[in-house]
Amino acid sequence: MGILKLTDLISDEAGAAVHYKVLEDYRDRRLAVDASIFLHQFASSMGYMRNSHLLGTFYRTVGLMELGILPIFVFDGPPPILKAPLLKKRAAVRQVAIEAFRAAKEAAAKANAETAESPAPAETSTTPGWTELTSAEKRDTFEQECMRMLKLMGVPVIKAKSEAEATCAALVLAGKAYAVATEDMDALPFGTPVLVRGLKIHNNPTLKEICLSEVLAGLKLTQEEFIDLCILLGCDYCESINGMGPKKALPLIRKYHSIEGILKHLDTKKFTVPTAWDFKGARELFKNPSVCLEGVPESLVASTPDEEGLVQFLAVEKHVIKEDRIRKGVERLRFYPQATKQKRIDSIFKSSKRQRKAEQAEEDAAGGKMGKLEDAEEVDDEKEEAQGPPLPINSPACVL
Protein backbone atom coordinates (compact mmCIF):
# COMPACT_ATOMS: atom_id res chain seq x y z
CA MET A 1 0.00 0.00 0.00
CA GLY A 2 2.79 2.42 0.79
CA ILE A 3 1.80 5.83 2.20
CA LEU A 4 -1.67 7.06 1.26
CA LYS A 5 -1.77 10.29 -0.77
CA LEU A 6 1.88 11.08 -0.09
CA THR A 7 2.61 11.46 -3.82
CA ASP A 8 -0.09 14.12 -4.16
CA LEU A 9 1.06 15.91 -1.02
CA ILE A 10 4.64 16.10 -2.26
CA SER A 11 3.46 17.33 -5.64
CA ASP A 12 1.38 20.09 -4.00
CA GLU A 13 3.72 21.16 -1.20
CA ALA A 14 7.22 20.12 -2.30
CA GLY A 15 7.10 19.90 -6.08
CA ALA A 16 10.75 20.92 -6.42
CA ALA A 17 11.71 17.58 -4.84
CA VAL A 18 10.50 15.71 -7.93
CA HIS A 19 13.02 15.58 -10.78
CA TYR A 20 12.29 14.11 -14.19
CA LYS A 21 14.99 11.83 -15.51
CA VAL A 22 15.78 9.55 -18.44
CA LEU A 23 17.57 6.21 -18.36
CA GLU A 24 20.82 7.78 -19.53
CA ASP A 25 21.02 9.64 -16.21
CA TYR A 26 21.51 6.31 -14.43
CA ARG A 27 24.33 4.94 -16.55
CA ASP A 28 27.05 3.41 -14.40
CA ARG A 29 24.77 3.50 -11.35
CA ARG A 30 23.38 0.75 -9.14
CA LEU A 31 19.70 0.81 -8.27
CA ALA A 32 18.26 -1.14 -5.34
CA VAL A 33 15.10 -2.64 -6.81
CA ASP A 34 12.04 -3.67 -4.81
CA ALA A 35 11.59 -7.02 -6.57
CA SER A 36 7.95 -7.54 -5.55
CA ILE A 37 6.97 -4.45 -7.54
CA PHE A 38 8.56 -5.89 -10.67
CA LEU A 39 6.69 -9.18 -10.24
CA HIS A 40 3.41 -7.36 -9.76
CA GLN A 41 3.96 -5.14 -12.81
CA PHE A 42 4.71 -8.03 -15.13
CA ALA A 43 1.79 -10.09 -13.90
CA SER A 44 -0.45 -7.09 -14.57
CA SER A 45 0.91 -6.03 -17.95
CA MET A 46 1.24 -9.52 -19.42
CA GLY A 47 -2.25 -10.80 -18.75
CA TYR A 48 -1.28 -13.16 -15.94
CA MET A 49 0.73 -15.50 -18.11
CA ARG A 50 2.05 -18.12 -15.72
CA ASN A 51 5.68 -17.31 -16.40
CA SER A 52 5.26 -13.55 -16.65
CA HIS A 53 7.50 -13.08 -13.62
CA LEU A 54 10.38 -14.77 -15.45
CA LEU A 55 9.74 -13.29 -18.89
CA GLY A 56 9.37 -9.73 -17.69
CA THR A 57 12.23 -9.79 -15.21
CA PHE A 58 14.60 -11.38 -17.72
CA TYR A 59 14.01 -8.86 -20.51
CA ARG A 60 13.85 -5.77 -18.32
CA THR A 61 17.08 -6.76 -16.56
CA VAL A 62 18.79 -7.39 -19.88
CA GLY A 63 17.60 -4.00 -21.13
CA LEU A 64 18.79 -2.13 -18.06
CA MET A 65 22.22 -3.73 -18.03
CA GLU A 66 22.63 -3.18 -21.75
CA LEU A 67 22.17 0.53 -20.99
CA GLY A 68 24.82 0.45 -18.27
CA ILE A 69 22.47 0.27 -15.26
CA LEU A 70 22.94 -2.45 -12.64
CA PRO A 71 19.77 -3.45 -10.75
CA ILE A 72 20.24 -4.98 -7.29
CA PHE A 73 17.14 -7.07 -6.64
CA VAL A 74 15.88 -7.15 -3.06
CA PHE A 75 13.16 -9.66 -2.14
CA ASP A 76 10.91 -9.40 0.90
CA GLY A 77 11.63 -11.42 4.01
CA PRO A 78 9.08 -12.27 6.75
CA PRO A 79 6.72 -9.31 7.33
CA PRO A 80 6.79 -7.50 10.67
CA ILE A 81 4.13 -8.46 13.22
CA LEU A 82 2.51 -5.04 12.93
CA LYS A 83 1.68 -5.80 9.32
CA ALA A 84 -0.44 -8.85 10.27
CA PRO A 85 -3.81 -6.99 10.32
CA LEU A 86 -3.20 -5.61 6.84
CA LEU A 87 -2.17 -9.03 5.52
CA LYS A 88 -5.31 -10.53 7.04
CA LYS A 89 -7.43 -7.99 5.21
CA ARG A 90 -5.61 -8.74 1.97
CA ALA A 91 -6.20 -12.46 2.44
CA ALA A 92 -9.93 -11.80 2.85
CA VAL A 93 -9.97 -9.66 -0.30
CA ARG A 94 -8.04 -12.40 -2.11
CA GLN A 95 -10.58 -15.06 -1.13
CA VAL A 96 -13.54 -12.95 -2.22
CA ALA A 97 -11.81 -12.18 -5.53
CA ILE A 98 -11.05 -15.85 -6.18
CA GLU A 99 -14.65 -16.85 -5.53
CA ALA A 100 -16.00 -14.08 -7.75
CA PHE A 101 -13.55 -14.98 -10.51
CA ARG A 102 -14.50 -18.65 -10.40
CA ALA A 103 -18.18 -17.77 -10.46
CA ALA A 104 -17.66 -15.51 -13.48
CA LYS A 105 -15.78 -18.25 -15.34
CA GLU A 106 -18.49 -20.78 -14.59
CA ALA A 107 -21.19 -18.37 -15.75
CA ALA A 108 -19.27 -17.66 -18.96
CA ALA A 109 -18.78 -21.37 -19.62
CA LYS A 110 -22.47 -22.00 -19.06
CA ALA A 111 -23.45 -19.17 -21.40
CA ASN A 112 -21.10 -20.47 -24.09
CA ALA A 113 -22.52 -23.95 -23.75
CA GLU A 114 -26.07 -22.62 -24.19
CA THR A 115 -25.15 -20.41 -27.14
CA ALA A 116 -22.22 -21.95 -28.96
CA GLU A 117 -21.98 -19.09 -31.45
CA SER A 118 -21.75 -16.37 -28.77
CA PRO A 119 -18.19 -15.29 -27.94
CA ALA A 120 -17.05 -15.48 -24.36
CA PRO A 121 -17.51 -12.19 -22.48
CA ALA A 122 -14.36 -10.10 -22.18
CA GLU A 123 -12.56 -9.90 -18.89
CA THR A 124 -13.39 -6.74 -17.00
CA SER A 125 -11.64 -4.55 -14.50
CA THR A 126 -13.13 -6.72 -11.76
CA THR A 127 -10.87 -9.59 -12.76
CA PRO A 128 -8.75 -10.47 -9.73
CA GLY A 129 -5.11 -9.59 -9.90
CA TRP A 130 -1.92 -11.52 -9.26
CA THR A 131 -2.01 -11.13 -5.50
CA GLU A 132 -5.69 -12.06 -5.34
CA LEU A 133 -5.38 -15.17 -7.48
CA THR A 134 -2.10 -16.44 -6.13
CA SER A 135 -1.52 -18.12 -2.80
CA ALA A 136 1.32 -17.06 -0.55
CA GLU A 137 3.03 -20.39 -1.24
CA LYS A 138 2.87 -19.86 -4.99
CA ARG A 139 4.14 -16.31 -4.72
CA ASP A 140 7.08 -17.69 -2.75
CA THR A 141 7.71 -20.12 -5.61
CA PHE A 142 7.64 -17.26 -8.13
CA GLU A 143 10.18 -15.37 -6.05
CA GLN A 144 12.44 -18.40 -5.73
CA GLU A 145 12.32 -18.90 -9.49
CA CYS A 146 13.17 -15.25 -10.12
CA MET A 147 16.05 -15.36 -7.66
CA ARG A 148 17.43 -18.48 -9.32
CA MET A 149 17.20 -16.89 -12.77
CA LEU A 150 18.78 -13.59 -11.66
CA LYS A 151 21.70 -15.37 -10.04
CA LEU A 152 22.27 -17.30 -13.26
CA MET A 153 22.22 -13.94 -15.06
CA GLY A 154 24.97 -12.69 -12.75
CA VAL A 155 22.80 -10.02 -11.14
CA PRO A 156 23.10 -9.21 -7.40
CA VAL A 157 20.21 -10.68 -5.40
CA ILE A 158 19.47 -10.02 -1.72
CA LYS A 159 16.86 -11.64 0.52
CA ALA A 160 15.75 -9.01 3.02
CA LYS A 161 15.49 -9.76 6.70
CA SER A 162 12.00 -8.25 6.58
CA GLU A 163 10.64 -5.46 4.36
CA ALA A 164 12.41 -5.12 1.00
CA GLU A 165 11.94 -1.32 0.91
CA ALA A 166 13.79 -0.98 4.21
CA THR A 167 16.74 -3.03 2.97
CA CYS A 168 16.77 -1.09 -0.29
CA ALA A 169 16.95 2.16 1.68
CA ALA A 170 19.76 0.74 3.83
CA LEU A 171 21.74 -0.15 0.70
CA VAL A 172 21.50 3.43 -0.51
CA LEU A 173 22.42 4.84 2.89
CA ALA A 174 25.43 2.51 2.99
CA GLY A 175 26.61 3.75 -0.40
CA LYS A 176 26.04 0.39 -2.10
CA ALA A 177 23.36 1.80 -4.44
CA TYR A 178 22.44 5.22 -5.78
CA ALA A 179 18.68 5.06 -5.30
CA VAL A 180 15.74 2.82 -4.46
CA ALA A 181 13.64 1.83 -7.49
CA THR A 182 10.07 1.15 -6.39
CA GLU A 183 6.55 2.52 -6.73
CA ASP A 184 5.95 2.35 -2.97
CA MET A 185 6.48 5.69 -1.27
CA ASP A 186 7.30 4.12 2.09
CA ALA A 187 10.94 3.91 0.97
CA LEU A 188 11.07 7.62 1.93
CA PRO A 189 10.11 7.25 5.62
CA PHE A 190 12.54 4.31 5.68
CA GLY A 191 15.14 6.96 4.88
CA THR A 192 16.28 6.49 1.30
CA PRO A 193 17.86 9.74 0.11
CA VAL A 194 16.67 9.12 -3.46
CA LEU A 195 13.59 7.28 -4.76
CA VAL A 196 13.12 6.42 -8.44
CA ARG A 197 9.66 5.66 -9.78
CA GLY A 198 8.65 4.36 -13.20
CA LEU A 199 11.75 2.28 -13.93
CA LYS A 200 11.00 0.78 -17.34
CA ILE A 201 12.63 0.29 -20.73
CA HIS A 202 9.62 0.90 -22.96
CA ASN A 203 9.81 3.97 -25.25
CA ASN A 204 12.65 5.74 -23.44
CA PRO A 205 10.49 6.54 -20.41
CA THR A 206 10.57 9.61 -18.23
CA LEU A 207 11.37 8.55 -14.67
CA LYS A 208 10.50 10.44 -11.50
CA GLU A 209 13.32 10.91 -9.04
CA ILE A 210 12.29 12.13 -5.59
CA CYS A 211 14.92 13.64 -3.31
CA LEU A 212 14.16 13.14 0.39
CA SER A 213 16.09 16.20 1.59
CA GLU A 214 14.11 18.39 -0.79
CA VAL A 215 10.86 16.77 0.33
CA LEU A 216 11.66 17.63 3.94
CA ALA A 217 12.62 21.17 2.97
CA GLY A 218 9.42 21.66 0.98
CA LEU A 219 7.20 20.24 3.71
CA LYS A 220 9.19 22.14 6.38
CA LEU A 221 9.61 18.97 8.45
CA THR A 222 12.40 16.96 10.05
CA GLN A 223 12.75 13.27 9.20
CA GLU A 224 11.12 12.36 12.55
CA GLU A 225 8.18 14.66 11.83
CA PHE A 226 7.93 13.28 8.30
CA ILE A 227 7.67 9.72 9.64
CA ASP A 228 4.84 10.79 11.95
CA LEU A 229 3.15 12.51 9.00
CA CYS A 230 3.33 9.27 6.97
CA ILE A 231 1.73 7.36 9.85
CA LEU A 232 -1.05 9.95 10.01
CA LEU A 233 -1.66 9.66 6.27
CA GLY A 234 -1.92 5.87 6.50
CA CYS A 235 0.76 3.18 6.31
CA ASP A 236 0.99 -0.62 6.37
CA TYR A 237 1.66 -0.92 10.09
CA CYS A 238 -1.28 0.70 11.85
CA GLU A 239 -4.63 2.31 11.22
CA SER A 240 -4.92 6.03 10.63
CA ILE A 241 -7.05 8.60 12.44
CA ASN A 242 -10.50 8.68 10.89
CA GLY A 243 -11.02 11.97 9.07
CA MET A 244 -7.33 12.90 9.04
CA GLY A 245 -6.30 13.64 5.47
CA PRO A 246 -3.18 15.38 4.12
CA LYS A 247 -4.68 18.88 4.39
CA LYS A 248 -5.33 18.34 8.09
CA ALA A 249 -2.28 16.24 8.96
CA LEU A 250 0.45 18.48 7.55
CA PRO A 251 -0.52 21.71 9.40
CA LEU A 252 -0.97 19.75 12.62
CA ILE A 253 2.42 18.04 12.44
CA ARG A 254 4.04 21.38 11.63
CA LYS A 255 2.39 22.95 14.66
CA TYR A 256 2.77 20.19 17.24
CA HIS A 257 5.80 18.33 15.78
CA SER A 258 4.71 14.81 16.80
CA ILE A 259 1.69 12.53 16.99
CA GLU A 260 1.78 12.80 20.80
CA GLY A 261 1.57 16.58 20.51
CA ILE A 262 -1.33 16.34 18.09
CA LEU A 263 -3.26 13.92 20.31
CA LYS A 264 -3.06 16.35 23.24
CA HIS A 265 -4.88 19.01 21.20
CA LEU A 266 -7.00 16.85 18.87
CA ASP A 267 -10.72 17.59 18.56
CA THR A 268 -12.10 14.10 19.19
CA LYS A 269 -15.53 15.20 17.94
CA LYS A 270 -14.08 15.63 14.47
CA PHE A 271 -11.43 12.94 14.49
CA THR A 272 -11.65 9.36 15.75
CA VAL A 273 -8.45 7.80 17.08
CA PRO A 274 -8.29 4.00 16.61
CA THR A 275 -8.53 1.88 19.74
CA ALA A 276 -5.12 0.63 20.95
CA TRP A 277 -3.46 2.64 18.21
CA ASP A 278 0.16 1.47 17.99
CA PHE A 279 1.60 4.46 16.17
CA LYS A 280 4.74 4.16 18.30
CA GLY A 281 5.38 0.67 16.98
CA ALA A 282 4.94 1.90 13.41
CA ARG A 283 7.29 4.80 14.10
CA GLU A 284 9.93 2.44 15.46
CA LEU A 285 9.66 0.23 12.35
CA PHE A 286 10.37 3.20 10.11
CA LYS A 287 13.19 4.57 12.27
CA ASN A 288 14.87 1.26 13.08
CA PRO A 289 13.67 -1.35 10.58
CA SER A 290 14.79 -4.97 10.67
CA VAL A 291 17.71 -4.82 8.25
CA CYS A 292 20.86 -6.91 8.01
CA LEU A 293 23.56 -6.16 5.45
CA GLU A 294 26.02 -8.68 6.84
CA GLY A 295 27.38 -10.79 4.03
CA VAL A 296 26.54 -8.15 1.42
CA PRO A 297 29.75 -7.34 -0.52
CA GLU A 298 31.26 -3.90 -0.07
CA SER A 299 30.82 -3.32 -3.78
CA LEU A 300 27.93 -5.03 -5.53
CA VAL A 301 28.91 -5.94 -9.08
CA ALA A 302 27.62 -8.12 -11.89
CA SER A 303 29.23 -11.51 -12.36
CA THR A 304 29.61 -13.57 -15.52
CA PRO A 305 26.24 -14.98 -16.59
CA ASP A 306 25.82 -18.76 -16.62
CA GLU A 307 24.58 -19.15 -20.18
CA GLU A 308 24.13 -22.91 -20.11
CA GLY A 309 22.42 -22.71 -16.71
CA LEU A 310 19.95 -20.15 -18.09
CA VAL A 311 19.22 -22.30 -21.13
CA GLN A 312 18.63 -25.33 -18.91
CA PHE A 313 16.33 -23.43 -16.54
CA LEU A 314 14.34 -21.18 -18.90
CA ALA A 315 14.23 -23.28 -22.08
CA VAL A 316 14.38 -26.88 -20.84
CA GLU A 317 12.79 -26.82 -17.39
CA LYS A 318 10.30 -23.93 -17.66
CA HIS A 319 9.76 -23.78 -21.46
CA VAL A 320 9.39 -20.03 -21.11
CA ILE A 321 11.97 -18.58 -23.53
CA LYS A 322 13.47 -20.21 -26.58
CA GLU A 323 17.14 -21.13 -26.43
CA ASP A 324 18.26 -18.78 -29.20
CA ARG A 325 16.64 -15.82 -27.47
CA ILE A 326 18.24 -16.71 -24.18
CA ARG A 327 21.64 -16.75 -25.83
CA LYS A 328 20.95 -13.41 -27.51
CA GLY A 329 19.96 -12.02 -24.12
CA VAL A 330 23.20 -13.28 -22.58
CA GLU A 331 25.17 -11.52 -25.32
CA ARG A 332 23.39 -8.29 -24.39
CA LEU A 333 24.19 -8.90 -20.72
CA ARG A 334 27.85 -9.17 -21.60
CA PHE A 335 27.67 -5.67 -23.04
CA TYR A 336 27.14 -4.28 -19.52
CA PRO A 337 30.80 -3.52 -18.61
CA GLN A 338 31.26 -1.66 -21.90
CA ALA A 339 27.92 0.13 -21.57
CA THR A 340 28.97 1.79 -18.32
CA LYS A 341 31.92 3.38 -20.13
CA GLN A 342 29.87 4.87 -22.97
CA LYS A 343 29.50 8.66 -23.02
CA ARG A 344 26.28 8.67 -25.00
CA ILE A 345 23.30 6.36 -25.06
CA ASP A 346 22.18 7.10 -28.65
CA SER A 347 24.19 4.30 -30.21
CA ILE A 348 22.83 1.77 -27.73
CA PHE A 349 19.21 2.62 -28.50
CA LYS A 350 19.92 2.45 -32.23
CA SER A 351 21.73 -0.87 -31.85
CA SER A 352 18.92 -2.32 -29.73
CA LYS A 353 16.34 -1.12 -32.25
CA ARG A 354 18.22 -2.72 -35.14
CA GLN A 355 18.57 -5.94 -33.17
CA ARG A 356 14.86 -6.05 -32.36
CA LYS A 357 13.96 -5.42 -35.99
CA ALA A 358 16.27 -8.23 -37.04
CA GLU A 359 14.69 -10.56 -34.51
CA GLN A 360 11.24 -9.55 -35.76
CA ALA A 361 12.24 -10.29 -39.34
CA GLU A 362 13.60 -13.71 -38.37
CA GLU A 363 10.42 -14.55 -36.51
CA ASP A 364 8.17 -13.33 -39.31
CA ALA A 365 10.11 -15.46 -41.77
CA ALA A 366 9.57 -18.48 -39.55
CA GLY A 367 5.85 -17.75 -39.40
CA GLY A 368 5.87 -17.18 -35.64
CA LYS A 369 4.50 -14.44 -33.48
CA MET A 370 6.31 -11.84 -31.43
CA GLY A 371 4.53 -10.24 -28.53
CA LYS A 372 5.59 -7.18 -26.62
CA LEU A 373 6.47 -7.16 -22.98
CA GLU A 374 5.53 -4.15 -20.92
CA ASP A 375 9.15 -3.09 -21.50
CA ALA A 376 8.73 -3.39 -25.28
CA GLU A 377 11.23 -6.25 -25.22
CA GLU A 378 10.16 -8.73 -27.87
CA VAL A 379 9.47 -12.27 -26.82
CA ASP A 380 7.53 -15.28 -28.00
CA ASP A 381 3.91 -14.91 -26.95
CA GLU A 382 2.62 -18.31 -28.00
CA LYS A 383 0.12 -19.66 -25.50
CA GLU A 384 1.76 -23.05 -25.22
CA GLU A 385 4.89 -21.42 -23.81
CA ALA A 386 2.76 -19.69 -21.18
CA GLN A 387 1.85 -23.10 -19.76
CA GLY A 388 -1.80 -22.29 -19.52
CA PRO A 389 -4.41 -19.79 -20.68
CA PRO A 390 -3.74 -16.11 -19.97
CA LEU A 391 -5.92 -14.55 -17.31
CA PRO A 392 -6.11 -10.76 -17.86
CA ILE A 393 -5.61 -8.68 -14.76
CA ASN A 394 -6.85 -5.13 -14.36
CA SER A 395 -8.12 -5.15 -10.80
CA PRO A 396 -7.85 -1.83 -8.94
CA ALA A 397 -7.72 -3.98 -5.79
CA CYS A 398 -4.28 -5.34 -6.69
CA VAL A 399 -1.97 -4.67 -3.80
CA LEU A 400 1.45 -5.81 -2.69
Side-chain angles (χ1 to χ4, degrees):
M1 178 179 73
I3 309 298
L4 294 178
K5 300 184 179 179
L6 179 57
T7 304
D8 294 338
L9 182 62
I10 291 175
S11 178
D12 294 340
E13 300 288 338
V18 182
H19 305 273
Y20 295 91
K21 301 285 186 175
V22 294
L23 286 169
E24 183 177 6
D25 295 323
Y26 299 100
R27 179 191 304 284
D28 201 16
R29 292 197 183 277
R30 292 167 293 187
L31 300 179
V33 175
D34 181 355
S36 65
I37 297 298
F38 266 35
L39 299 188
H40 172 64
Q41 287 175 339
F42 294 129
S44 301
S45 64
M46 296 176 67
Y48 198 72
M49 289 168 58
R50 291 187 184 178
N51 283 310
S52 60
H53 58 299
L54 296 174
L55 281 165
T57 303
F58 179 82
Y59 280 101
R60 182 179 289 185
T61 302
V62 167
L64 289 172
M65 294 183 67
E66 188 179 30
L67 301 178
I69 302 165
L70 179 62
I72 302 166
F73 285 90
V74 181
F75 289 81
D76 283 309
I81 295 174
L82 284 181
K83 203 171 182 177
L86 174 66
L87 297 177
K88 186 177 181 180
K89 289 181 181 179
R90 290 179 180 176
V93 171
R94 182 180 302 118
Q95 187 58 39
V96 170
I98 289 173
E99 292 174 0
F101 184 64
R102 287 172 178 168
K105 286 184 67 178
E106 290 173 1
K110 183 177 180 181
N112 289 337
E114 293 175 353
T115 310
E117 296 181 358
S118 299
E123 300 287 357
T124 68
S125 61
T126 58
T127 302
W130 179 60
T131 52
E132 283 82 359
L133 284 173
T134 314
S135 68
E137 292 77 12
K138 197 160 190 177
R139 290 200 305 277
D140 287 343
T141 299
F142 289 168
E143 290 187 356
Q144 291 296 326
E145 290 175 343
C146 273
M147 284 191 279
R148 178 182 173 187
M149 178 186 71
L150 289 166
K151 290 176 181 177
L152 290 171
M153 294 173 73
V155 179
V157 175
I158 296 173
K159 181 70 171 179
K161 188 175 180 180
S162 186
E163 298 282 62
E165 302 97 316
T167 296
C168 286
L171 288 170
V172 179
L173 290 168
K176 298 179 185 296
Y178 169 74
V180 174
T182 182
E183 302 308 306
D184 282 351
M185 296 294 285
D186 50 7
L188 292 173
F190 276 126
T192 183
V194 183
L195 170 65
V196 175
R197 306 186 81 199
L199 183 64
K200 300 176 182 178
I201 301 297
H202 177 58
N203 289 340
N204 304 346
T206 299
L207 286 64
K208 287 185 179 181
E209 181 178 292
I210 303 175
C211 176
L212 177 58
S213 63
E214 295 178 15
V215 169
L216 298 178
L219 297 180
K220 300 179 176 64
L221 300 176
T222 65
Q223 177 67 8
E224 289 74 17
E225 292 167 344
F226 177 65
I227 289 173
D228 276 12
L229 172 67
C230 291
I231 294 171
L232 289 170
L233 295 178
C235 67
D236 290 351
Y237 308 124
C238 67
E239 297 179 75
S240 56
I241 297 176
N242 188 32
M244 183 74 70
K247 292 182 179 180
K248 299 288 185 181
L250 181 58
L252 286 174
I253 203 70
R254 282 173 174 170
K255 183 175 182 179
Y256 299 113
H257 309 294
S258 69
I259 293 176
E260 288 90 342
I262 292 173
L263 292 178
K264 290 179 181 178
H265 301 87
L266 191 66
D267 185 348
T268 54
K269 292 182 180 180
K270 293 182 179 180
F271 304 101
T272 304
V273 179
T275 304
W277 190 35
D278 192 6
F279 67 88
K280 292 182 180 180
R283 177 194 290 158
E284 182 63 19
L285 275 175
F286 281 126
K287 292 179 68 175
N288 298 294
S290 181
V291 172
C292 180
L293 297 185
E294 291 182 10
V296 176
E298 186 64 28
S299 179
L300 291 162
V301 296
S303 58
T304 303
D306 182 348
E307 183 171 345
E308 298 307 320
L310 282 168
V311 170
Q312 174 65 29
F313 178 49
L314 296 177
V316 179
E317 294 181 29
K318 301 301 295 183
H319 305 287
V320 61
I321 306 177
K322 291 181 178 179
E323 179 178 344
D324 62 332
R325 293 185 186 161
I326 296 171
R327 297 192 185 279
K328 288 178 182 178
V330 171
E331 286 303 310
R332 294 167 64 190
L333 285 174
R334 292 190 176 123
F335 184 71
Y336 168 72
Q338 290 76 31
T340 63
K341 300 175 184 177
Q342 297 286 332
K343 291 185 178 180
R344 292 190 57 80
I345 205 167
D346 308 53
S347 61
I348 300 175
F349 278 119
K350 291 177 182 177
S351 174
S352 298
K353 187 176 181 180
R354 285 196 297 270
Q355 181 175 354
R356 286 195 291 270
K357 284 185 177 179
E359 290 176 1
Q360 178 70 66
E362 291 174 6
E363 194 67 22
D364 289 343
K369 294 182 179 180
M370 290 285 279
K372 288 189 176 181
L373 282 177
E374 184 262 347
D375 284 32
E377 294 293 343
E378 296 173 351
V379 297
D380 196 337
D381 197 22
E382 295 172 316
K383 287 187 175 62
E384 60 267 25
E385 289 198 354
Q387 295 182 351
L391 302 177
I393 149 180
N394 300 300
S395 172
C398 267
V399 288
L400 277 178

